[in-house]
Amino acid sequence: NFNIILFKKRLFVSKKALPSHEMTVHLLYIQAQNEVINAQLPVSRQTALRLAACQFRVNYGSHNATTHVVGFLKASLEEYLPPNILKGANRKRLEYEILELHEKQFYMADTIRDKLEYVKLARDLPTYGAACYLARQSIFKRLPKLVVLCITYDGISFARCDKGAKNKEELMYFPLEDIQRWGYRQGCTFYFELRVSIGKEGRIIELATEDGRS
């Protein structure tokens, strides 16, 4: 048995800039893959399959009709798809769809380009690159009391918290231009104030979290 240490990029200042350095692409690929597989980045079924097909291409290159058939991934689907996609699903069907998407990628396999394609798909997810903290809110009645507070370069959002794990599905989003200020108060409270029309007081939204100082 051995432990794996995963180094992660902490600050994302933009989703627009794409890396060109080979090692940077590799590290972002590993981070995105880890967060998808561990359900830290919520994905739809179709997006999960597209990402899995990219990952398969990184690992095994271009499609080989002789060897890349249903059964090839029988023992390793957990390395390609998150648990919520696998749960109760027809595993042979999932594998078939991954291989079908992989076969449709006609261009010559290129490891760096394929890793970059995976990163591009992942960065389009709403909570990609977010700093996330478990928090409690009581302002919005239609939202769960326990949420994940997600802070990105372009705003703040609340996401669904799946049984205490940081499994994020975006519930509410506040763009940066609507936020006047934010901070941390003694007593484990993170707050931010929404910008409103001139002459009116902004609405202050508070959440209880022990991670606010981060």
Side-chain angles (χ1 to χ4, degrees):
N1 295 333
F2 58 92
N3 295 322
I4 296 176
I5 299 176
L6 179 65
F7 293 93
K8 292 187 175 185
K9 181 177 180 178
R10 183 176 182 182
L11 299 176
F12 291 77
V13 295
S14 173
K15 289 186 180 181
K16 296 180 180 179
L18 284 173
S20 57
H21 191 277
E22 183 174 335
M23 180 54 68
T24 303
V25 173
H26 172 71
L27 292 174
L28 287 175
Y29 166 74
I30 293 298
Q31 179 172 341
Q33 178 191 331
N34 178 267
E35 292 182 352
V36 168
I37 299 306
N38 290 302
Q40 294 173 340
L41 270 176
V43 293
S44 66
R45 183 181 186 278
Q46 188 56 35
T47 300
L49 292 171
R50 290 177 64 193
L51 288 166
C54 284
Q55 183 181 340
F56 187 86
R57 189 176 175 84
V58 169
N59 292 342
Y60 298 105
S62 299
H63 184 72
N64 185 325
T66 303
T67 58
H68 297 160
V69 296
V70 174
F72 189 87
L73 290 175
K74 181 179 180 180
S76 57
L77 268 181
E78 285 79 6
E79 299 173 14
Y80 289 83
L81 295 169
N84 58 304
I85 301 296
L86 288 169
K87 186 176 180 180
N90 184 323
R91 295 173 69 95
K92 286 186 177 180
R93 179 65 189 177
L94 290 174
E95 186 178 357
Y96 171 81
E97 291 185 48
I98 292 171
L99 295 174
E100 185 178 41
L101 288 169
H102 175 250
E103 184 178 5
K104 290 179 179 178
Q105 298 172 334
F106 296 112
Y107 57 85
M108 187 67 68
D110 180 282
T111 302
I112 297 302
R113 182 171 59 182
D114 294 331
K115 288 179 179 180
L116 189 57
E117 183 62 27
Y118 190 103
V119 172
K120 287 166 63 178
L121 285 171
R123 73 173 187 162
D124 287 337
L125 300 169
T127 53
Y128 177 78
C132 300
Y133 311 99
L134 290 176
R136 292 189 176 276
Q137 69 85 28
S138 58
I139 295 176
F140 303 100
K141 302 302 181 184
R142 64 184 179 86
L143 300 184
K145 290 185 178 180
L146 185 64
V147 297
V148 179
L149 171 66
C150 303
I151 303 175
T152 66
Y153 76 97
D154 61 356
I156 293 175
S157 64
F158 300 158
R160 189 180 305 281
C161 177
D162 184 12
K163 296 181 180 179
K166 293 182 179 178
N167 180 8
K168 305 178 286 292
E169 173 194 344
E170 190 173 70
L171 299 172
M172 186 174 285
Y173 172 70
F174 305 91
L176 187 61
E177 55 266 27
D178 290 347
I179 299 171
Q180 186 162 327
R181 59 185 176 132
W182 67 78
Y184 179 82
R185 291 176 178 157
Q186 289 185 350
C188 303
T189 299
F190 174 88
Y191 73 91
F192 61 96
E193 182 176 345
L194 296 180
R195 191 187 309 278
V196 295
S197 58
I198 297 175
K200 295 182 180 180
E201 185 178 351
R203 183 180 186 185
I204 296 178
I205 298 173
E206 293 189 355
L207 300 96
T209 175
E210 295 182 358
D211 298 329
R213 292 185 184 275
S214 302

